[in-house]
Amino acid sequence: MGSRWKGKGAEVQALADPISEIVSQLQSSLISSNSKGLLSGTGVLLKADAELTDLLNRACFGRPRVTLEKNEQWFQLSTEEAFYLQHSLKCIKIVDHNDTELNGDELWKHMTSSRENFPILFKAFSHLRSKNWVVRSGSQYGVDFVAYRHHPALVHSEYAVLVLSAQDGNANGRLKVWSDFHCTLRLCGSVAKTLLILNIEEQQSCATSPSCLDNYVVEERTITRWSPEQGREKNVKSDSRVK
């Protein structure tokens, strides 16, 4: 399945304003404003002024939170988004409720303690983000993420992403039998998405710090549903005689 743009000029608009440049602008803005994210449960809250709000929306990081403050906007970042901005782009600091900054190892420990599969999910998230895909939660489709070629206002998501790992024995129990594949593929087909499987292979067991991410290898596989009608040879006429 190809990209399904929303509107006649959507593709032209996306090409004129690539995600890579928007993320670069966001990175510079966060660094210059010395932005701090506040740990809040399993996510991170980030205060934003008008300029930063615009960049976060355009880069598709976080979701705006409704507040009573007129001149300030707060964004709720997922654990993957927050760690990507802190660890990969190095453009925000993360603090706890005592305003104490957490270094990379401390934040990693917090993230992995709240979500056991955080390392492989983050590796998948950062893998796609580094390729300039917009990555959002895929919970409404029963997958880990959905990937957009550009902003969701301009294009529909192209991939439904499942993250699997042999090291954890596929603890989530997905795609263990053929019926799982059929159900997932039918769902993806009904919403016009391609199923993308990201297999995360751990070369060395050491999930105690962010440095372990260098030991992960990502294998991409797209899976589509085979249709007998599409596979039939056009030049061969079926024999309609009854024997």
Side-chain angles (χ1 to χ4, degrees), residues 114-131:
S114 58
R115 297 177 68 190
E116 186 178 352
N117 62 344
F118 175 76
I120 65 169
L121 288 176
F122 177 74
K123 183 64 178 182
F125 177 90
S126 61
H127 174 77
L128 293 172
R129 266 292 184 177
S130 66
K131 293 187 173 185

Side-chain angles (χ1 to χ4, degrees), residues 44-56:
V44 171
L45 290 173
L46 182 67
K47 184 187 290 187
D49 57 16
E51 177 188 356
L52 193 52
T53 294
D54 176 64
L55 287 170
L56 286 166

Side-chain angles (χ1 to χ4, degrees), residues 9 24 30 37 39 57 111 123 140 160 174-175 184 188 201 227:
S24 180
L30 287 168
L39 278 178
N57 281 324
M111 299 297 192
K123 183 64 178 182
Q140 68 184 108
R174 295 175 297 186
L175 304 186
T184 305
C188 291
E201 296 184 9
S227 171

Side-chain angles (χ1 to χ4, degrees), residues 86-178:
Q86 192 258 18
H87 174 75
S88 301
L89 298 187
K90 303 185 186 306
C91 56
I92 66 170
K93 299 175 182 178
I94 307 293
V95 299
D96 59 18
H97 288 283
N98 296 319
D99 201 34
T100 301
E101 182 182 348
L102 280 70
N103 61 35
D105 288 344
E106 291 169 335
L107 184 59
W108 176 265
K109 184 178 180 180
H110 173 83
M111 299 297 192
T112 54
S113 64
S114 58
R115 297 177 68 190
E116 186 178 352
N117 62 344
F118 175 76
I120 65 169
L121 288 176
F122 177 74
K123 183 64 178 182
F125 177 90
S126 61
H127 174 77
L128 293 172
R129 266 292 184 177
S130 66
K131 293 187 173 185
N132 297 315
W133 287 95
V134 170
V135 186
R136 300 302 247 175
S137 170
S139 57
Q140 68 184 108
Y141 302 113
V143 294
D144 294 306
F145 303 111
V146 286
Y148 298 79
R149 191 168 293 274
H150 205 278
H151 195 284
L154 298 178
V155 66
H156 293 278
S157 55
E158 197 162 327
Y159 292 104
V161 184
L162 278 177
V163 183
L164 305 179
S165 172
Q167 277 67 33
D168 63 6
N170 191 9
N172 51 37
R174 295 175 297 186
L175 304 186
K176 284 191 171 183
V177 294
W178 278 112

